[in-house]
Amino acid sequence: MTATKASAKSAKPAPAKFTPIQFAAKAIDPIKQATQCLVIACYEGVKLSPSASAVNAADADQLEALLKRENFQGKAGQSLLLLNPQGIAAERLLVLGFGAAKDGFVSADNYRKAVQKIGEALRPTTTSEITLALADVSVVEQDAEWQARQVAESLSLLDYRADKLKSKPADVSLQLKKVIFGATKTQTPGATKGLMLGQAIARGVNLARELGDLPGNICTPTYLANEAKRLAHKQPKLSVNVLEETQLKELGMGSFLSVAAGSDQPAKLIVLEYKGGNKKQAPVALVGKGITFDTGGISLKPGAAMDEMKYDMCGAASVLGTIQTLLELQLPINVVGVIAASENMPNGNATKPGDIVTSMSGQTIEILNTDAEGRLVLCDALTYTERFKPKAVVDIATLTGACVIALGNHATGLFSNNDELAKALLKAGEESADRAWHMPLWDEYQKQLDSNFADIANIGGREGGAVTAACFLSRFTKKFAWAHLDIAGTAWRSGGAKGATGRPVTMLVQYLLNQV
Ligand code: BES
Ligand code: MN
Ligand code: ZN
């Protein structure tokens, strides 16, 4: 292995110097509450919630008149900011539309849509503190804890800024620092818990976004390993072990190492063990693809949008983000994180199309395309995971462009050799609005991976490319219940809003919460 060259000049992220938004749940009086902004609810057909009605009455029906004048109908996601409301103590009034209230209940989707508008509505203002008078909004099958979680989750996501590497941050930014979640006495304990949960999830998501957005010259395999060690600092429940290339060689990880061969950056297998549960409890293993830049290798990618291949470590980032949330929640379960971190580069040592390598499992692989590298690093990481005797293994990978063609940017592709595990993940995705769609893993697809010269080829042709990639992984996961999440379409956005989404941290956390 060549020594790492002194790293080229790279911008350093500015030290994180910011205060996160703070949340508290308590009883409030919407009329008397001294606040910079009172947030109230309106349903479709301009039907005011009880709190909003009280505000309207205090204001001599001016609120209703204004809503009508501005043609505000109360549709989900509509919002109207009113300055200097009369008759109440608040300096501003933010009216949110929650959509149809059937028998007094709004849908979970509409509740999310409504609270997501808060940040957008306040961004152009100097509001630093708000009070939500939403305790009387009822959501189908959800309680105050759930509602508080949605509020904290969606607002704390705004703590993430993608402009840390700009010499001057953008001017227009949200000033919000404090949120009071109005709750009745009986709601307060649940709401307080929900606020904590929402913040913990958002911080995990934001960590995944931050790592995803970092460029390849900063976020190298070594950087990811250091990030894992940073997470474990002063955390008795978490231990981290970073395996170097010499160790990977001893383990027989010829497939993983074939990807790292063409890069000057040393590859790392990053192993995190979170022990929050009973010693005897089998862990859930999360295995992340951590290609910190994917050029395609000798099967070089075309230049257009190649910068986006810095996001090829978003699976790894989601493992770290999920563990960050676990730590914050101190969940009583056991979770193992395994991250296969490497660059995929085309130097003189690089693997060539036609090369045959031996994986840790003993199966030989004909590498017909060096750009199908994710499966090559993951197969050895999956074999390594056997030693933890996991009750379930979930790998997370920006694995195939074909998955983006199949599902677009809305659903993560889910493949599994175990229907119970698949169902649990689908359910967690629904519950957390971070959804996956079940894809086939039928034997019929397997023969596309036949090779004349090795046990298996690393590509299966254009047809069903996301499925054959999953089929490849399935050859290495026979010893445990396993699911594969192809996040190629969901881990980041392209175009003007380019940026990591932090998916599927929310789904994974929900899945783990459901195990407790
Ligand atoms: N990291 C890519 C997958 C990818 C491509 C994700 C574009 C998101 C957008 C992966 O390593 C890859 O290059 N896959 C190839 C596989 C092919 C060579 C069989 C692909 O999808 O083109
Ligand atoms: Mn590739
Ligand atoms: Zn890749």
Side-chain angles (χ1 to χ4, degrees):
M1 177 64 213
T2 42
T4 310
K5 282 185 210 145
S7 73
K9 259 199 195 143
S10 64
K12 280 230 169 65
K17 201 184 110 225
F18 82 104
T19 41
I21 301 175
Q22 282 179 8
F23 296 85
K26 63 177 190 197
I28 57 141
D29 177 342
I31 309 299
K32 294 198 190 126
Q33 181 75 15
T35 175
Q36 292 179 22
C37 183
L38 187 76
V39 183
I40 55 173
C42 178
Y43 308 112
E44 209 161 290
V46 209
K47 276 193 278 179
L48 298 177
S49 73
S51 302
S53 290
V55 168
N56 185 52
D59 189 18
D61 293 347
Q62 283 304 298
L63 172 60
E64 223 165 3
L66 271 173
L67 292 177
K68 291 210 167 112
R69 195 188 77 188
E70 299 298 321
N71 197 23
F72 183 95
Q73 289 146 351
K75 288 194 176 142
Q78 262 190 316
S79 72
L80 188 64
L81 183 68
L82 303 168
L83 305 178
N84 280 324
Q86 298 304 299
I88 63 171
E91 295 165 24
R92 302 175 183 85
L93 196 54
L94 176 61
V95 191
L96 297 178
F98 281 79
K102 282 192 199 112
D103 305 323
F105 287 82
V106 303
S107 73
D109 269 357
N110 283 349
Y111 189 88
R112 278 197 195 95
K113 262 190 209 152
V115 299
Q116 275 166 7
K117 281 285 158 178
I118 297 173
E120 203 177 296
L122 296 180
R123 198 177 292 279
T125 76
T126 54
T127 313
S128 63
E129 173 272 330
I130 62 174
T131 301
L132 309 187
L134 303 174
D136 49 25
V137 176
S138 302
V139 183
V140 181
E141 284 176 20
Q142 306 296 352
D143 56 9
E145 178 186 326
W146 182 92
Q147 295 184 24
R149 172 181 158 182
Q150 304 311 313
V151 167
E153 204 176 307
S154 75
L155 286 175
S156 295
L157 286 176
L158 304 173
D159 277 336
Y160 174 68
R161 301 195 49 155
D163 61 2
K164 280 196 191 151
L165 294 176
K166 295 197 187 207
S167 47
K168 248 212 233 126
D171 303 332
V172 189
S173 76
L174 190 66
Q175 311 269 312
L176 189 62
K177 285 290 156 241
K178 193 170 174 202
V179 176
I180 294 170
F181 185 90
T184 64
K185 240 200 178 114
T186 43
Q187 287 175 337
T188 301
T192 303
K193 191 174 162 210
L195 292 174
M196 276 208 353
L197 195 53
Q199 290 175 82
I201 292 170
R203 283 198 263 270
V205 173
N206 284 345
L207 173 63
R209 291 163 80 194
E210 180 170 348
L211 291 171
D213 283 337
L214 279 178
N217 64 327
I218 294 176
C219 186
T220 58
T222 306
Y223 189 99
L224 285 178
N226 288 339
E227 200 59 19
K229 288 179 195 156
R230 186 186 64 78
L231 277 184
H233 187 62
K234 290 197 180 144
Q235 292 285 355
K237 289 196 173 77
L238 181 65
S239 58
V240 170
N241 185 17
V242 177
L243 305 190
E244 306 293 335
E245 289 193 357
T246 45
Q247 291 162 289
L248 305 184
K249 200 166 180 186
E250 280 161 24
L251 285 163
M253 295 195 177
S255 183
F256 185 0
L257 288 168
S258 77
V259 175
S263 165
D264 287 357
Q265 290 289 340
K268 315 264 173 184
L269 187 80
I270 306 162
V271 183
L272 305 99
E273 285 185 76
Y274 173 84
K275 292 190 177 125
N278 192 301
K279 270 203 180 91
K280 282 178 251 163
Q281 223 173 63
V284 171
L286 304 175
V287 180
K289 171 177 173 181
I291 299 296
T292 59
F293 197 83
D294 181 11
T295 66
I298 295 299
S299 312
L300 194 64
K301 284 182 180 297
M306 207 211 270
D307 67 290
E308 294 188 11
M309 283 298 112
K310 72 176 182 179
Y311 291 116
D312 215 14
M313 36 54 71
C314 283
S318 76
V319 173
L320 293 174
T322 301
I323 288 176
Q324 145 93 41
T325 300
L326 283 185
L327 286 170
E328 198 166 330
L329 297 175
Q330 293 283 301
L331 279 196
I333 45 168
N334 295 331
V335 175
V336 176
V338 179
I339 291 170
S342 173
E343 287 185 331
N344 185 22
M345 297 285 282
N347 78 14
N349 289 321
T351 297
K352 304 166 290 297
D355 285 1
I356 294 176
V357 297
T358 304
S359 66
M360 183 180 175
S361 73
Q363 296 175 84
T364 58
I365 303 166
E366 185 182 17
I367 299 174
L368 291 169
N369 189 319
T370 64
D371 197 12
E373 85 297 339
R375 60 199 81 180
L376 296 174
V377 301
L378 284 172
C379 70
D380 281 340
L382 285 164
T383 302
Y384 182 84
T385 304
E386 284 172 10
R387 69 188 52 206
F388 299 106
K389 304 202 166 32
K391 68 171 175 190
V393 178
V394 182
D395 80 65
I396 310 104
T398 49
L399 204 64
T400 65
C403 193
V404 191
I405 302 300
L407 297 174
N409 304 114
H410 303 291
T412 290
L414 168 78
F415 305 79
S416 182
N417 64 8
N418 182 298
D419 279 342
E420 212 181 306
L421 176 59
K423 270 194 200 133
L425 287 164
L426 290 170
K427 177 169 166 276
E430 292 285 348
E431 287 168 349
S432 60
D434 183 1
R435 291 188 292 180
W437 190 252
H438 203 167
M439 301 277 283
L441 193 67
W442 300 328
D443 283 345
E444 284 85 338
Y445 292 94
Q446 291 281 354
K447 61 176 178 300
Q448 285 177 239
L449 294 170
D450 286 350
S451 158
N452 283 357
F453 307 108
D455 297 337
I456 183 172
N458 82 324
I459 52 170
R462 263 171 51 80
E463 294 169 4
V467 184
T468 52
C471 284
F472 181 96
L473 297 177
S474 76
R475 307 277 184 112
F476 302 84
T477 59
K478 300 236 191 292
K479 296 198 177 135
F480 41 66
W482 157 77
H484 158 59
L485 298 173
D486 193 330
I487 57 168
T490 51
W492 75 93
R493 292 186 199 94
S494 309
K498 193 190 291 178
T501 61
R503 291 180 71 180
V505 169
T506 316
M507 179 213 289
L508 293 171
V509 171
Q510 187 66 53
Y511 166 72
L512 295 171
L513 282 170
N514 292 350
Q515 307 292 299
V516 177

